[in-house]
Amino acid sequence: MFPELTGYLFPNDVHIAWSLMIVMYPYVTGLVAGAFIVSSLYHVFGREELKPLGRFALAASFCFLLVAMLPLLNHLGHPERGINIIVTPNFNSAMAGFGFLFTSYFIIVLLELWFVFRADIVRYATTSRGAARRFYAILSLGVYDGSAEAVALDKRITRVLAAIGIPMACLLHGYVGFLFGALKANPWWSTPLMPVIFLFSAVVSGIAMLILLYQLAMKLKGTTTDREAVASLARWLWLFMIMSLTLEVLEIMTLGYERAEEWEVISHLLTHQLSISFISIQMVLGGLIPFILLMLVVVMGRFMHDRIHNTLASVSSLLLLLQVLAMRWNVVIGGQMFSKSMRGFRETYVPGLFEKEGVLAAVAIFTLPFVLLLIFERVLPTFDHLRRGPPDDDGLD
Amino acid sequence: MRTDHPLWHAKHIVRMGLLLLLGVTVMIVVRSLLVPDTWGQYGWYRGANVEEQRDHPLQHGGDASCAGCHPEQEATHAAGAHAAVRCELCHAPVALHAKDDAYFAAMPVRRTAALCVSCHQRLAARPADFPQIRPQEHVAEMGGEYGPEACFDCHDPHAPL
């Protein structure tokens, strides 16, 4: 009846309940957290070389945040009931954390955006006309104070918000890993390392995405990319990918060395069902290769022509984005490919193209943040302040 | 008065604070509207739901509900190997068929091997002492010919052995 099933399966092991959408959810949330951390490297830690990206990264984080919930809602049979997790959170359920973390993080990002862009908003509100003028007036909350003192206050608040935002972003994404790590019935998920692995790979995907988006944005604007910014991002990317990959390998090594009863299924999983997505993609194509490429960029970048430097960084970023996607897939889908009996397997899972939770839906959802980012850029340009040059006294804005 | 003190330029911050306060108030109001009255009465659910569930009309009547009108089948069934399997499992709830001791709609009759196989297919997950077969092999072993109604050549569904 089910040729894709072998061995001893319980009836509830047959269906892959957590579909492609549940792969997309941690992927998109990871990009949120990663992009935010890049923006904080500038806004909190004052990494001057990342100044060209400070605002852009924040805007990108916000746009990904706006769609982060969509995969979950699409997954629910009754999306209109999704709000219940916020209205009546059950503290016995790990999921309840979502409402609090998501909402508070959302508010923090929104506030930080407002304070970062407020001076611009005020300027647009006073210089534009018609509907645009009214729109910016509303955004400015009717206070047109663009004085140096007010802007200095904004900067101070921005820094505080960004500082609060870092632990919030870490919690938000660590919590997504916790959802898996805390499921003790599933040996492929149940490890305290899970939140940490999720967090590090989130930062990896966020930085990689920004390396690509930043260069794309500069292309679209017809300006040159700031090589120092790309170089700095590449350095951070290398650091975080090393940590992320090490953790991922360590987890498998621990499982393999302990050789507890679950190794039986997990080793089979890794060498059969997940051989391509884990070994080939997550470890080699998306792990080892970008590790080497980024090493070249970081160690020998000085001797490289801009073009080569940025291309190598972009290729590594692309591969790492794929790596993180594969990692999410291996965790989420991999964890459902074997039976809780530890004696049965599902051989394959291929999401349909046109299913409600299929490939097309995933692509559509994943396109949305980029469209939102384009709109955001229209409403509040994230690079203009750089060209205007500095009335920029303390270096941060 | 000094107007270059930073606090003179905090008007927008006050407005944002008020807006946040408004947001929180709206959230509290909306929440109180969304949470049902009897929420939490017994546990993490709507208390009134218990009564709603209880007030659902009964669909199943058990074997006794059939006995009055189908004494023959009831007798065969009670004496056979399927005595432990309820009539309504293989047929349908009595509420779809008879009401107030009067027949009103046909009862489904599933004269198919698929019905039997849904319980008797050999599966590793079934208790070992439950009678299980591999349908094709079983029919061949017993000298029959497999088909969608094969089981009924040799077994009476009401008393299969």
Side-chain angles (χ1 to χ4, degrees):
Chain A
M1 263 191 295
F2 301 104
E4 71 273 26
L5 307 179
T6 53
Y8 191 119
L9 283 102
F10 297 126
N12 56 348
D13 292 329
V14 170
H15 185 65
I16 300 266
W18 284 10
S19 65
L20 187 59
M21 286 300 129
I22 310 300
V23 177
M24 294 310 292
Y25 167 61
Y27 193 54
V28 176
T29 341
L31 292 167
V32 175
F36 187 84
I37 288 190
V38 171
S39 110
S40 293
L41 282 176
Y42 171 65
H43 282 121
V44 182
F45 300 109
R47 308 296 316 182
E48 270 305 309
E49 68 276 19
L50 290 179
K51 182 174 179 183
L53 274 113
R55 292 183 172 196
F56 183 62
L58 190 61
S61 178
F62 178 65
C63 292
F64 283 111
L65 187 61
L66 285 177
V67 297
M69 225 184 326
L70 281 187
L72 288 185
L73 289 178
N74 182 37
H75 175 70
L76 290 180
H78 275 281
E80 80 281 2
R81 294 183 191 162
I83 188 77
N84 288 353
I85 205 171
I86 292 173
V87 175
T88 51
N90 184 343
F91 295 101
N92 286 330
S93 152
M95 271 287 182
F98 177 84
F100 299 106
L101 290 171
F102 190 89
T103 315
S104 18
Y105 181 67
F106 192 88
I107 291 172
I108 293 211
V109 172
L110 211 58
L111 284 180
E112 189 183 339
L113 272 176
W114 190 70
F115 282 109
V116 166
F117 283 98
R118 202 189 60 85
D120 283 3
I121 295 174
V122 168
R123 200 160 39 79
Y124 299 136
T126 44
T127 53
S128 54
R129 357 192 123 264
R133 189 188 184 95
R134 217 162 314 136
F135 173 74
Y136 287 113
I138 292 172
L139 273 191
S140 73
L141 298 186
V143 181
Y144 290 0
D145 188 349
S147 65
E149 289 90 346
V151 171
L153 261 181
D154 288 347
K155 282 178 189 168
R156 254 198 263 164
I157 292 180
T158 302
R159 199 177 307 180
V160 173
L161 284 171
I164 305 174
I166 297 172
M168 288 302 306
C170 293
L171 271 180
L172 178 69
H173 202 71
Y175 148 83
V176 176
F178 171 80
L179 279 182
F180 292 92
L183 283 181
K184 65 178 164 211
N186 189 320
W188 182 228
W189 290 342
S190 166
T191 153
L193 265 188
M194 200 54 93
V196 189
I197 296 183
F198 264 66
L199 191 55
F200 275 99
S201 58
V203 179
V204 169
S205 66
I207 300 178
M209 182 56 89
L210 280 175
I211 290 186
L212 292 175
L213 276 182
Y214 171 61
Q215 297 187 53
L216 186 71
M218 292 299 103
K219 265 262 154 62
L220 291 180
K221 284 199 181 306
T223 43
T224 48
T225 45
D226 182 314
R227 179 190 160 124
E228 270 321 297
V230 176
S232 165
L233 283 176
R235 271 198 300 278
W236 289 107
L237 184 59
W238 196 46
L239 174 68
F240 277 104
M241 80 146 293
I242 291 174
M243 297 207 263
S244 162
L245 212 65
T246 314
L247 287 170
E248 284 162 25
V249 174
L250 275 178
E251 194 213 339
I252 303 294
M253 276 171 54
T254 315
L255 282 168
Y257 190 77
E258 283 180 354
R259 280 193 190 255
E261 69 275 16
E262 68 262 22
W263 183 241
E264 197 97 337
V265 280
I266 289 175
S267 58
H268 182 90
L269 199 65
L270 295 179
T271 47
H272 292 82
Q273 283 87 346
L274 302 183
S275 61
I276 295 181
S277 57
F278 187 84
I279 298 175
S280 310
I281 299 183
Q282 191 181 335
M283 287 296 140
V284 180
L285 180 67
L288 189 64
I289 294 178
F291 167 76
I292 297 171
L293 293 183
L294 282 173
M295 181 161 65
L296 292 177
V297 172
V298 173
V299 179
M300 318 230 295
R302 269 170 302 152
F303 310 113
M304 286 178 191
H305 189 272
D306 281 6
R307 211 49 188 281
I308 300 174
H309 178 270
N310 293 354
T311 308
L312 278 184
S314 307
V315 172
S316 323
S317 302
L318 211 63
L319 291 176
L320 279 167
L321 279 175
L322 185 67
Q323 194 262 357
V324 176
L325 184 63
M327 178 263 174
R328 309 289 194 241
W329 170 277
N330 292 330
V331 169
V332 177
I333 303 298
Q336 301 172 82
M337 297 293 274
F338 60 89
S339 168
K340 310 297 174 295
S341 70
M342 308 275 169
R343 281 162 58 199
F345 290 97
R346 219 195 127 96
E347 295 303 332
T348 52
Y349 167 68
V350 184
L353 186 57
F354 297 109
E355 279 167 18
K356 173 179 157 245
E357 301 182 35
V359 176
L360 216 60
V363 171
I365 287 177
F366 196 62
T367 316
L368 211 55
F370 302 101
V371 177
L372 289 175
L373 195 56
L374 271 178
I375 297 173
F376 191 103
E377 188 64 34
R378 271 283 172 84
V379 177
L380 293 171
T382 54
F383 296 106
D384 276 11
H385 65 296
L386 301 167
R387 244 187 305 128
R388 273 200 320 281
D392 182 74
D393 35 12
D394 62 356
L396 295 179
D397 72 321
Chain B
M1 264 221 276
R2 286 177 58 202
T3 56
D4 58 343
H5 189 275
L7 286 184
W8 279 106
H9 297 280
K11 198 170 160 200
H12 63 287
I13 299 174
V14 174
R15 288 232 177 138
M16 186 41 102
L18 288 177
L19 190 66
L20 272 181
L21 213 63
L22 183 72
V24 172
T25 320
V26 168
M27 267 162 79
I28 292 173
V29 171
V30 168
R31 180 180 187 276
S32 67
L33 290 177
L34 284 180
V35 176
D37 288 340
T38 55
W39 179 269
Q41 192 180 350
Y42 308 114
W44 211 265
Y45 54 91
R46 193 165 49 87
N49 186 254
V50 176
E51 270 150 54
E52 281 166 30
Q53 295 294 338
R54 193 195 60 201
D55 293 345
H56 276 308
L58 285 180
Q59 301 286 313
H60 292 80
D63 291 5
S65 66
C66 320
C69 300
H70 301 292
E72 201 183 307
Q73 283 83 3
E74 158 69 15
T76 333
H77 174 256
H82 270 163
V85 184
R86 303 276 67 83
C87 315
E88 288 161 306
L89 264 176
C90 292
H91 295 288
V94 71
L96 305 177
H97 173 57
K99 200 173 169 192
D100 304 329
D101 279 336
Y103 166 93
F104 76 91
M107 191 61 134
V109 177
R110 294 148 72 192
R111 197 186 146 82
T112 60
L115 171 68
C116 317
V117 164
S118 68
C119 290
H120 288 291
Q121 168 79 45
R122 175 160 296 286
L123 287 179
R126 294 212 154 109
D129 57 354
F130 183 81
Q132 307 165 51
I133 51 146
R134 295 194 176 80
Q136 270 102 333
E137 282 174 29
H138 171 70
V139 174
E141 260 169 43
M142 295 300 157
E145 202 172 316
Y146 193 75
E149 294 191 1
C151 315
F152 303 93
D153 296 343
C154 306
H155 296 287
D156 174 352
H158 296 139
L161 275 188

